[in-house]
Amino acid sequence: MQPFSGQKLDKIPAHVPPELVYEYDNARDARMLEDPHARMRSLILEAPPIFFSPCNGGMWFVTRKKAIVDITMNPEVYSNSFIAAAASGEHKDSQPGFMLLPIAVDPPQHTAYRAPLNQPLAAKSVAGLETAIRVMTNELIDKVLGAGRCDFFSEIAEPLPVTLFMKLAGMPTDRLAEFRHLATQATSSTVDAATREATFKRIAGILAEVIKSRQEKREDDLISRLLDANIQGRNPTFHEMLGYSITLFLGGLETVVNALGFGVRHLARDQELQAKLRADPSLLPGAIEELLRLHGIASTPRRLMRDEVCHGVQFKQGDMVLLLLPAANYDDAAFPNPEQFILGRTEQHMTFNTGPHRCVGLNLARLEMKVFYQEWLKRVPPFRLDPQAPPRFMGGFNLAITSLPLVWG
Ligand code: HEM
């Protein structure tokens, strides 16, 4: 499946009423590429709550929180089981093919596949990584602090989660440069399909080596724990281990990179908020949630298993729907004054989604962000966007920043 192939339908399917057609390309839309989250807000204001876009082979977009919650809570109708093909760049039936676990499995089997991740990624368990994250963050800050400027994306946001993943998975950090390069290629939408596929194979090859070595000798890491996990009375197969490792690698990478990138961009444009958080770091957890709401990253697809009417819209079996989580965070019905940064909101934002597939890595993501902001705000003087080099953005399943030059001092 090529979800963002650029191919536009010549003919709107018969079951789509004309008033629900709105042309929007989540990878190429010019307004999205100029300012991704401003575009999310404009979709709430300008487009029908559920609309059909003929771009990229034709798909539905759902932009309101209530409809997204209803869809994610009904996995019998709205399935994830095709996601492996989309995310790996390989067809589901092709060999070797990766089964992305647990994301590509629908309930009830999903529960058994997700269970082994719940405990190792619980808040208490990931707390053990706090010191390592602090050390990594400070090493990265050391490299840029004296220069009075940096490209936040490539020098800070990108290396941090890759290094952390390697630590979590128990991988030797002497392979950091190689692995970072692969991670960048795997998540970039600018590389061609063949390079992407070759990159996935190399990543899978490296992860396979780690799994094999842990099969021989367990260490104190997530791969070792997963090998001993109990999935309905048996341990995961090698193929399943690969599926878990690749999902964790992808799940924790581009998402955290961009959450940090968009959050820091927000602070670079709001000196008052920067000063407030510097003066009182206890405000950080609340501020991080509001930054995550304003800057949702991932949108997630579902496929219709049968004909279904959703909030008055007729879907047909086989239709694709993209749950536009970053837009749902700007839904007035769920978030009063959605464009404003308001500390202490109580409504749950949609950046980690809801339902059975709600992000299992959210505790780790929050910890990474909290430690990062604590150290960054403590050590880096008031920073702003480089007036000579505005940030650049990218779309696709994730809203992304590709360059974020900052200056300070
Ligand atoms: C700010 C950072 C992050 C964001 C915005 C994010 C977002 C999401 C979203 C929206 C989903 C739900 C997908 C769906 O419903 O189809 C998800 C699932 C998932 N995330 Fe995250 N994520 C983040 C960080 C992480 C991290 C650090 C990890 C790894 C430790 C991770 C691992 C996963 C996994 C394994 C799933 C699949 C869960 C399941 O299917 O039950 N994520 N994430």
Side-chain angles (χ1 to χ4, degrees), residues 80 102-103 110 114 117 121 247-248 251-252 255-256 259 292 297-298 300 302 325 351-353 356-361 364-365 368-369:
N80 268 22
I103 192 128
H110 170 262
R114 169 136 171 165
L117 293 175
L121 292 172
T247 314
L248 286 166
T255 49
V256 178
L292 281 168
I297 311 294
T300 182
R302 298 289 188 265
L325 305 174
T351 301
F352 294 121
N353 205 4
H357 292 282
R358 178 167 160 79
C359 181
V360 72
L364 184 59
E368 278 183 71
M369 284 184 271

Side-chain angles (χ1 to χ4, degrees), residues 132-349:
I133 301 172
R134 207 172 291 284
V135 169
M136 285 176 216
T137 306
N138 276 303
E139 282 171 5
L140 293 170
I141 296 176
D142 287 343
K143 288 190 194 158
V144 299
L145 190 59
R149 58 170 55 244
C150 73
D151 177 25
F152 183 81
F153 174 76
S154 62
E155 292 178 275
I156 309 280
E158 210 189 26
L160 187 62
V162 189
T163 321
L164 187 64
F165 171 82
M166 293 180 78
K167 188 142 185 73
L168 188 72
M171 293 170 66
T173 32
D174 55 6
R175 298 190 78 165
L176 180 64
E178 176 197 6
F179 211 65
R180 260 195 68 193
H181 175 71
L182 290 172
T184 310
Q185 295 246 311
T187 50
S188 163
S189 73
T190 53
V191 301
D192 59 80
T195 313
R196 210 174 153 87
E197 194 167 322
T199 308
F200 267 103
K201 288 206 170 113
R202 282 186 60 197
I203 291 172
I206 295 172
L207 293 170
E209 276 173 41
V210 180
I211 296 165
K212 277 183 198 143
S213 98
R214 296 302 179 277
Q215 276 177 327
E216 280 159 26
K217 186 172 173 297
R218 301 288 194 270
E219 302 278 349
D220 182 18
D221 57 43
L222 185 53
I223 303 280
S224 300
R225 295 184 69 172
L226 284 174
L227 277 166
D228 293 325
N230 180 336
I231 300 176
Q232 292 173 322
R234 61 171 179 84
N235 297 131
T237 63
F238 182 77
H239 193 68
E240 287 169 343
M241 282 300 300
L242 209 47
Y244 275 124
S245 319
I246 293 173
T247 314
L248 286 166
F249 171 70
L250 291 175
L253 226 65
E254 213 188 346
T255 49
V256 178
V257 172
N258 290 304
L260 286 174
F262 282 114
V264 163
R265 168 177 172 253
H266 185 106
L267 292 181
R269 300 200 299 177
D270 187 343
Q271 298 298 317
E272 208 178 304
L273 181 59
Q274 254 188 65
K276 196 166 163 179
L277 297 176
R278 269 199 189 85
D280 185 358
S282 74
L283 297 175
L284 272 174
I288 288 169
E289 290 315 299
E290 187 60 347
L291 289 172
L292 281 168
R293 181 190 68 81
L294 285 166
H295 307 100
I297 311 294
S299 292
T300 182
R302 298 289 188 265
R303 182 146 72 192
L304 266 289
M305 302 305 281
R306 59 162 201 247
D307 294 1
E308 179 82 358
V309 175
C310 174
H311 289 241
V313 174
Q314 176 70 62
F315 294 147
K316 286 272 179 211
Q317 183 176 3
D319 280 359
M320 293 291 298
V321 293
L322 191 63
L323 310 180
L324 218 54
L325 305 174
N329 284 334
Y330 286 89
D331 175 359
D332 306 74
F335 305 99
N337 301 312
E339 287 168 71
Q340 281 176 29
F341 180 98
I342 299 177
L343 268 175
R345 280 188 195 268
T346 50
E347 314 85 17
Q348 183 181 296
H349 64 69

